[in-house]
Amino acid sequence: MENKKFYITTPIYYPSAEFHIGHCYTTVIADALARYKRLAGYDVFFQTGTDEHGQKIEKKAEEAGVTPIEYINPIVDNAKDLWKSLQISYDYFIRTTDEQHVKAIQKIFKKMYDKGDIYKGEYKGLYCTPCESFWTESQLDEDGRCPDCHREVKEVSEEAYFFKLSAYQDKLVKFYDEHPGFILPLTRKNEMLNNFINPGLEDLCVSRTSFTWGVPVDFDPGHVVYVWVDALSNYITSLGYPDENAELFKKYWPADLHLVGKEIVRFHTIIWPCMLMSLGLELPKQVFGHGWLIIDGGKISKSLGNYKDPRDYINTYGVDAVRYFLLREVPFGNDGSFSEEALITRTNADLVNTLGNLVNRTIAMSKKYFDSKVENPKVNESVDDSIISYAKMLPSLVDNKMNALKANEALEDIFELLKRSNKYIDDTTPWILAKDEANNDRLKTVLYNLLESIRISAILLRAFIPSTSDRIFKMLNTKNIEFDTLEFGNLETNITLNESEILFNRIEVKEEK
Ligand code: MSP
């Protein structure tokens, strides 16, 4: 029998500065997938959180003249508020400063140490402080700087613990071979093999003595656990690990999907699987490395400060305009541009013209011709097929796209039904049918077909733009809003539609500028 649970995670974000639209991107996509799976009947556990330790945060707090936790707390509260505004339906929000997590990290570290996978040595290396990443000479960019952020790296040397990554090289490659869908998109898998694994995995420094803001290694005071061991373990400590009998752990591990940005695929597909092998645990089923949202051709970065509070966009354009843009605009896996203009264009074209217009025209016609009563005398004509046969196919089209994590294409498919429905109005010309009583039953059928397309679209849109779906259901006055009512023809007859309300207002570009 199919396992009906679905455990999905976002990365845990650094609360080193306020969150920007790039963080919203990952989180909204994860939210849509989580909502979709819930609607499809899965028992979903959707986790996000914050990665609170490390030198960078220690420094930021110092600069601000506060303790690290005093520095972090308001940022974390603000992040939670942002997720609320964006209607993120997470089941659990983990903070790496949570007591349960800290204790679990100490046990995880000790467990790997006892197994002989962690040993003490001397660390000499090149370290990028903003990225909290160590690099080897060969990995640096052309200018000898950090390959991710292109800032200067510094040489460090100190006593440190190491994790025997090298011991897991063959097992990791074997795992990749046996699980071809583990890393997606495939280009990222090739990057991992060519850039990191095939040249030979080097052991990983997993403790530091040069800063204190971290989980202390309890059997060796002075050492704190290196951030990536601390951070990656969040995916299991939240479930109750190291208690392997914890209910959540038994139910949800291994994760079905870790959604991560492309620059941290390396940590999730090399370090994390090797740590799990060391702990004797199952590996996650899939890691998807998505592209970045770019502003003005560059990365949106907290350090560069080229971003707005995402709540400004939500307050100006509405939560569903922002969610829709993030889900629809960029083919998942690629980089994509974010700009307010693009958000406006997308909203006007799809949400105002295609969706909003269809709903308002249809409901207005139902009111005008039949006092908002829904009936279906089934006087069909061949033109109906353009929407009926497509609507019948649509749930499986969407399901395939969502399973392949192509939310943008799933939305494109749903909007195809809405576009066809708008065309269907032009083709069937209800205002001409309405001129002759003899066409009454045909006109009722046309309106039924339109309302039914709207209902089916609204059910499928629920994962993406939930409030809009709710507003449509309210107008339709239908109880059939679940996936098991997706079959064409399930809209109740003899119901009366509610008053139509404007779903989205056209955004005038000039005014906004
Ligand atoms: N704390 C680590 C992750 C640990 S996961 C065990 C981290 N944090 S982060 O805050 O820097 O980034 C978190 C995620 O946000 C990454 O997946 C990153 O790709 C994503 N994004 C940050 N800026 C982004 C864009 N401009 N566009 C898309 N995603 C972006 O790395």
Side-chain angles (χ1 to χ4, degrees):
M1 215 180 82
E2 197 195 356
N3 183 2
K4 291 280 271 182
K5 68 91 186 166
F6 189 73
Y7 178 25
I8 176 170
T9 67
T10 72
I12 49 172
Y13 304 99
Y14 291 128
S16 48
E18 301 299 338
F19 289 13
H20 57 63
I21 196 82
H23 302 113
C24 298
Y25 178 68
T26 319
T27 313
V28 166
I29 290 168
D31 181 67
L33 290 167
R35 284 176 184 269
Y36 183 81
K37 287 288 182 186
R38 281 189 203 111
L39 292 168
Y42 284 74
D43 176 348
V44 172
F45 196 74
F46 168 27
Q47 176 163 305
T48 188
T50 38
D51 183 1
E52 307 188 358
H53 293 125
Q55 196 169 10
K56 188 172 173 185
I57 286 174
E58 189 178 76
K59 264 208 217 143
K60 287 246 177 184
E62 217 173 270
E63 282 161 20
V66 292
T67 63
I69 200 73
E70 284 167 348
Y71 178 81
I72 293 162
N73 279 342
I75 299 178
V76 174
D77 287 345
N78 216 8
K80 286 185 177 168
D81 182 68
L82 172 61
W83 296 155
K84 202 169 157 201
S85 319
L86 259 183
Q87 300 183 346
I88 304 301
S89 62
Y90 60 78
D91 296 292
Y92 193 69
F93 188 106
I94 188 165
R95 301 182 55 172
T96 54
T97 49
D98 290 340
E99 200 187 332
Q100 175 187 329
H101 175 82
V102 170
K103 285 192 174 142
I105 292 302
Q106 291 176 324
K107 291 196 179 122
I108 288 169
F109 197 90
K110 184 73 173 20
K111 215 168 171 172
M112 298 195 293
Y113 178 78
D114 288 344
K115 197 173 175 208
D117 280 340
I118 285 182
Y119 63 91
K120 203 177 215 175
E122 162 101 348
Y123 184 75
K124 280 202 192 81
L126 301 161
Y127 186 67
C128 173
T129 310
C131 294
E132 290 180 326
S133 297
F134 293 97
W135 303 101
T136 60
E137 198 82 48
S138 63
Q139 290 167 343
L140 300 180
D141 71 6
E142 296 158 349
D143 304 319
R145 290 163 171 251
C146 169
D148 276 350
C149 72
H150 307 288
R151 279 176 281 211
E152 269 182 28
V153 291
K154 61 177 182 196
E155 217 166 295
V156 228
S157 156
E158 61 186 45
E159 179 193 270
Y161 285 96
F162 286 83
F163 175 69
K164 277 190 191 161
L165 215 49
S166 55
Y168 289 96
Q169 162 128 3
D170 294 344
K171 284 188 194 143
L172 187 63
V173 172
K174 188 161 172 266
F175 180 81
Y176 282 14
D177 286 344
E178 287 169 357
H179 300 84
F182 175 59
I183 309 180
L184 286 179
L186 276 182
T187 47
R188 309 258 185 254
K189 173 175 167 181
N190 297 334
E191 259 169 52
M192 293 305 118
L193 285 165
N194 297 336
N195 300 352
F196 301 106
I197 304 176
N198 294 339
L201 285 179
E202 290 173 31
D203 288 351
L204 174 81
C205 173
V206 290
S207 82
R208 310 305 315 275
T209 53
S210 52
F211 62 91
T212 55
W213 181 238
V215 177
V217 176
D218 51 0
F219 58 88
D220 194 348
H223 284 264
V224 294
V225 177
Y226 170 57
V227 281
W228 280 100
V229 170
D230 175 5
L232 289 162
S233 305
N234 89 84
Y235 303 129
I236 50 175
T237 61
S238 59
L239 303 179
Y241 187 84
D243 176 4
E244 290 185 39
N245 288 316
E247 202 181 310
L248 290 177
F249 185 78
K250 280 201 303 199
K251 191 163 172 193
Y252 293 113
W253 192 255
D256 295 270
L257 178 62
H258 291 315
L259 269 190
V260 302
K262 60 183 181 180
E263 84 286 12
I264 57 172
V265 168
R266 172 166 87 102
F267 303 99
H268 285 81
T269 59
I270 298 177
I271 301 177
W272 182 224
C274 294
M275 280 176 61
L276 289 166
M277 287 193 256
S278 173
L279 295 169
L281 297 178
E282 278 186 81
L283 271 50
K285 295 193 188 138
Q286 192 165 82
V287 176
F288 191 102
H290 65 71
W292 286 333
L293 271 194
I294 306 284
I295 286 188
D296 302 330
K299 197 177 170 190
I300 311 164
S301 113
K302 290 177 262 191
S303 331
L304 295 174
N306 62 354
Y307 68 93
K308 248 195 191 180
D309 185 331
R311 276 163 295 200
D312 290 354
Y313 305 122
I314 299 172
N315 294 337
T316 312
Y317 306 112
V319 59
D320 280 349
V322 175
R323 286 179 63 104
Y324 183 77
F325 179 89
L326 294 174
L327 291 160
R328 172 65 183 84
E329 190 74 8
V330 185
F332 202 47
N334 298 2
D335 287 350
S337 289
F338 178 82
S339 71
E340 221 154 324
E341 262 122 334
L343 172 66
I344 292 171
T345 307
R346 187 50 86 184
T347 306
N348 283 341
D350 294 3
L351 298 176
V352 178
N353 288 353
T354 305
L355 174 62
N357 253 347
L358 174 67
V359 172
N360 292 124
R361 280 166 93 191
T362 306
I363 293 192
M365 288 190 290
S366 297
K367 183 173 180 187
K368 184 166 171 196
Y369 303 136
F370 302 113
D371 263 347
S372 304
K373 292 232 156 39
V374 180
E375 285 173 87
N376 185 14
K378 296 191 182 157
V379 179
N380 289 309
E381 288 185 12
S382 58
V383 62
D384 303 352
D385 213 41
S386 67
I387 56 174
I388 297 180
S389 62
Y390 186 79
K392 285 185 173 163
M393 229 163 55
L394 185 58
S396 72
L397 287 180
V398 170
D399 199 53
N400 289 339
K401 299 288 169 58
M402 290 305 270
N403 289 332
L405 311 184
K406 295 180 174 169
N408 65 307
E409 289 183 22
L411 280 173
E412 222 176 318
D413 291 344
I414 300 170
F415 271 72
E416 174 63 23
L417 179 59
L418 301 171
K419 282 183 190 156
R420 284 177 183 230
S421 302
N422 276 320
K423 180 160 185 300
Y424 180 76
I425 298 181
D426 300 338
D427 290 344
T428 53
T429 54
W431 51 93
I432 295 176
L433 291 175
K435 286 187 179 151
D436 184 349
E437 282 255 328
N439 293 326
N440 240 356
D441 280 356
R442 174 62 189 151
L443 182 55
K444 283 177 185 165
T445 308
V446 165
L447 290 173
Y448 182 87
N449 289 341
L450 287 166
L451 291 165
E452 184 54 335
S453 292
I454 293 171
R455 184 189 69 91
I456 289 171
S457 307
I459 294 177
L460 292 168
L461 285 172
R462 248 173 115 190
F464 306 88
I465 44 174
S467 340
T468 302
S469 285
D470 285 346
R471 290 165 69 201
I472 296 174
F473 293 142
K474 194 172 154 231
M475 285 187 246
L476 293 182
N477 196 17
T478 177
K479 293 200 168 56
N480 293 336
I481 64 172
E482 299 297 335
F483 270 31
D484 62 5
T485 66
L486 273 169
E487 181 86 14
F488 197 96
N490 270 328
L491 177 67
E492 306 94 322
T493 48
N494 293 322
I495 52 170
T496 306
L497 304 175
N498 285 318
E499 279 301 306
S500 146
E501 55 160 315
I502 303 289
L503 286 176
F504 296 94
N505 284 309
R506 166 165 295 281
I507 308 164
E508 297 304 336
V509 181
K510 260 188 242 142
E511 269 176 37
E512 289 311 320
K513 272 190 166 170

